[in-house]
Amino acid sequence: MINRNPQRSDEPVWWSLFGAGGTWFAMVTPVTVLILGILVPLGILSPETLSYARVTDFATSWIGGLFIIASLALPMWHGMHRLHHGMHDLKLHTGVVGKIACYAAAFLVSALAIIFVFMIK
């Protein structure tokens, strides 16, 4: 029998943040690590590429601010959603308290990222 009045779920919101975070982490983070962690230290890219003035100019631009916020917030939402469902898979049923704790931690990191980016300007 089909339920004609299903209850609304908040899962699409969390799954969209989970998907966006996973995509960002899989596609953008490796390139960032390659540039910042390998190419510059090995001298393949000039250290002047990441001079203080250039990095500050990038971080204070709107696209740089969005990049910094997304690099911090989206993987955090992905990780907290994975942690929330991972606890359930391990039979650690924390209920609403666990859900609130996981998503509150992701929200806190997101809010702090936004605040810090606006403090740079």
Side-chain angles (χ1 to χ4, degrees):
M1 181 180 278
I2 296 174
N3 183 1
R4 302 244 181 235
N5 297 316
Q7 290 185 345
R8 297 262 181 198
S9 173
D10 61 351
E11 277 299 307
V13 174
W14 309 125
W15 276 100
S16 64
L17 289 167
F18 169 77
T23 302
W24 186 275
F25 197 70
M27 298 181 84
V28 177
T29 302
V31 174
T32 306
V33 170
L34 175 69
I35 292 170
L36 298 177
I38 298 172
L39 297 179
V40 173
L42 288 177
I44 297 170
L45 288 178
S46 169
E48 288 301 314
T49 305
L50 294 175
S51 68
Y52 180 79
R54 290 186 76 170
V55 171
T56 304
D57 287 343
F58 176 73
T60 56
S61 69
W62 66 273
I63 192 78
L66 288 176
F67 181 84
I68 292 169
I69 291 168
S71 293
L72 295 171
L74 290 177
M76 188 66 178
W77 283 102
H78 177 82
M80 289 296 101
H81 187 75
R82 185 173 288 274
L83 180 67
H84 171 63
H85 283 282
M87 289 189 313
H88 180 75
D89 292 343
L90 293 172
K91 307 288 188 241
L92 299 171
H93 301 292
T94 57
V96 176
V97 174
K99 184 177 188 177
I100 291 171
C102 285
Y103 297 140
F107 178 79
L108 178 66
V109 169
S110 301
L112 288 173
I114 293 168
I115 290 168
F116 291 149
V117 164
F118 281 115
M119 286 176 60
I120 292 173
K121 297 181 181 201

